[in-house]
Amino acid sequence: MILLVFIFKSIFIAIAGGILYLVYNFFRYRLLQSGKLSTKLDSQINKYYIIALIFISAAFTYRGYFPPDNFYFKEFEFVTLTKIPSSAEIVKKTSSYPDFHGDYCSSSLIELSKEDYSKLYNDLSLGKNLQKTDKILNTDEFDKVLRRDKRDLIIQSYQRIIPGKIGNYNYISFLSDGKSIIINRSKI
């Protein structure tokens, strides 16, 4: 699957790079004719340009499969409608690769300080933006973050329901250790 995504990204970047190269080619021809650009330097530019396009394709593919922590912090803020506490540390994380419609699922196990955990728990239980829920969306991503046999560690879950949006599942679950939460977001 990663190879297939890399190939599609490479094709897209090759097309964009080809268009950019056509613009460069206009100037390249004039520079070669005037002697301001040697054929050796022109050959090196072409070689490094192709290497750069391959590197960009690989970087985009890698970032799509392995998003940085900042991605999961934004998921936290989207689900809870609150800022991420400064004590937050991501323990486990996983995300599916977005399909052609932009649909994906992400889950992260985040540890907070005891104080931030208690404050978040109290704020969400008193707030009106999220609803208590007993159901857990069964996804591979959620299972990678918290195994099925460990689900009894969940003491409370909340779901953010967005009016008019069907297929968006935004969950936060609080674990019994008093410091761990799970953020699960599925956009389908």
Side-chain angles (χ1 to χ4, degrees), residues 141-158:
E141 289 73 24
F142 191 87
D143 290 340
K144 288 177 186 175
V145 170
L146 184 71
R147 295 187 338 234
R148 287 184 186 265
D149 62 338
K150 299 286 186 179
R151 289 196 178 177
D152 58 337
L153 297 174
I154 297 173
I155 58 170
Q156 185 60 59
S157 294
Y158 294 92

Side-chain angles (χ1 to χ4, degrees), residues 5-6 13 24-25 45 47 60 77 98 102-103 143:
V5 170
F6 175 72
I13 289 174
Y24 162 73
N25 204 29
I45 289 172
K47 180 173 67 173
F60 275 112
E77 292 175 356
D103 299 343
D143 290 340

Side-chain angles (χ1 to χ4, degrees), residues 10 18 22 42 75 79 83 133 145-146 175 177-178 185:
S10 296
L22 288 176
D42 179 51
E75 297 285 86
V79 170
K83 287 286 196 187
T133 185
V145 170
L146 184 71
L175 302 185
D177 64 359
R185 181 169 184 218

Side-chain angles (χ1 to χ4, degrees), residues 30 45 69 108 121 161:
R30 291 192 184 331
I45 289 172
D69 288 352
S108 58
Y121 186 83
I161 297 175

Side-chain angles (χ1 to χ4, degrees), residues 57-68 70-71 97:
S57 296
F60 275 112
T61 303
Y62 180 83
R63 189 172 176 115
Y65 273 99
F66 307 105
N70 189 37
F71 170 80
Y97 193 81

Side-chain angles (χ1 to χ4, degrees), residues 69-169:
D69 288 352
N70 189 37
F71 170 80
Y72 295 98
F73 289 154
K74 287 180 183 176
E75 297 285 86
F76 171 92
E77 292 175 356
F78 182 83
V79 170
T80 65
L81 298 172
T82 61
K83 287 286 196 187
I84 187 86
S86 60
S87 66
E89 290 184 30
I90 295 180
V91 177
K92 286 185 180 178
K93 60 185 178 179
T94 186
S95 179
S96 64
Y97 193 81
D99 65 9
F100 289 108
H101 304 289
D103 299 343
Y104 70 94
C105 182
S106 72
S107 288
S108 58
L109 175 64
I110 301 174
E111 281 190 3
L112 306 172
S113 68
K114 299 267 186 192
E115 297 80 26
D116 287 338
Y117 177 93
S118 296
K119 182 179 180 332
L120 181 64
Y121 186 83
N122 292 333
D123 289 349
L124 294 183
S125 63
L126 297 174
K128 302 211 185 300
N129 293 325
L130 283 87
Q131 298 175 353
K132 285 185 180 183
T133 185
D134 291 330
K135 67 178 185 173
I136 297 173
L137 183 66
N138 290 318
T139 63
D140 291 338
E141 289 73 24
F142 191 87
D143 290 340
K144 288 177 186 175
V145 170
L146 184 71
R147 295 187 338 234
R148 287 184 186 265
D149 62 338
K150 299 286 186 179
R151 289 196 178 177
D152 58 337
L153 297 174
I154 297 173
I155 58 170
Q156 185 60 59
S157 294
Y158 294 92
Q159 179 181 6
R160 176 178 173 211
I161 297 175
I162 303 170
K165 294 270 187 173
I166 298 172
N168 286 328
Y169 299 97

